[in-house]
Amino acid sequence: MRMTDEQKAAARAVIVTAAGRRFRVDGMAGVGIDALAREAGQTSGAIYAHFASKAAVFAAVVDAGLIRLRAGMDRCREAGTGWARVFARQYLSAPHRDQIAEGCLLPSLSADVARGGAELRADYATALDAAIATLAEGCPGATPEERRAQAIQVLVLGGGGLLLSRAVPPGALADEILAAADQAAGTLLGPAG
């Protein structure tokens, strides 16, 4: 019996979600198709029914991760004025830092993207630029250029702050790094809405 288009899309989504968890924790080089299949509760053949290669799975994970990033920004809009600060505070939180498998792809997968091919990097740039534009809408700058610069700074603080905070053992230094990044975001964006 053939799968419907909806069933195929659902199966693909399960694979992308499961692969995203593994790639965020183990990196692109640290996991193979068999491990991705196990994580998704599938066979490696099922993975290949949806994707031509591990690189194609990774590209889908990156795309989905950047969509999730923008969705997180959109949820913060409900805070009203100052929503970009709400986003930064949530992004630079200990729970987000500690949930690597479920967290944002920026601190976890950007280095793998940088080592990827031209098409992956171009797609990443396009999606990241869209996320920057979304976040800029909530930044307090006086001009569109200032708001765009602030949005980039927030993403740099967020991604870098999480990365450095995760790179050291849990404890005082990890918390100091996260707090410093959050303080810098607060200085940049002002109070939360």
Side-chain angles (χ1 to χ4, degrees):
M1 181 173 187
R2 288 197 167 287
M3 292 176 75
T4 66
D5 289 343
E6 293 81 18
Q7 290 170 321
K8 288 178 188 177
R12 181 181 167 91
V14 166
I15 293 167
V16 170
T17 299
R21 287 190 300 267
R22 284 304 299 267
F23 283 137
R24 282 178 181 86
V25 172
D26 298 325
M28 169 73 162
V31 62
I33 288 290
D34 290 339
L36 294 176
R38 280 191 302 277
E39 182 78 20
Q42 304 286 326
T43 65
S44 56
I47 302 286
Y48 285 119
H50 295 277
F51 300 97
S53 64
K54 181 174 86 166
V57 177
F58 184 75
V61 164
V62 169
D63 183 56
L66 287 164
I67 289 169
R68 279 182 54 206
L69 176 63
R70 286 184 67 197
M73 292 173 188
D74 287 338
R75 283 189 301 277
C76 290
R77 284 180 193 266
E78 296 171 12
T81 304
W83 70 263
R85 180 65 181 116
V86 172
F87 169 79
R89 175 148 292 151
Q90 290 175 3
Y91 196 96
L92 288 162
S93 68
H96 186 210
R97 176 196 57 207
D98 298 341
Q99 297 297 319
I100 296 170
E102 302 299 331
C104 180
L105 83 138
L106 295 181
S108 302
L109 299 179
S110 291
D112 286 324
V113 171
R115 289 187 285 271
E119 184 177 352
L120 174 65
R121 294 177 70 202
D123 291 346
Y124 177 88
T126 299
L128 182 60
D129 194 51
I132 290 165
T134 297
L135 186 56
E137 294 171 12
C139 291
T143 67
E145 294 78 16
E146 288 176 4
R147 289 188 293 277
R148 180 176 172 78
Q150 289 170 334
I152 292 170
Q153 292 165 356
V154 168
L155 292 177
V156 168
L157 283 167
L162 277 181
L163 177 63
L164 292 178
S165 184
R166 288 174 176 170
V168 300
L173 180 57
D175 292 340
E176 282 180 287
I177 292 167
L178 210 55
D182 182 62
Q183 180 181 14
T187 300
L188 179 68
L189 297 173

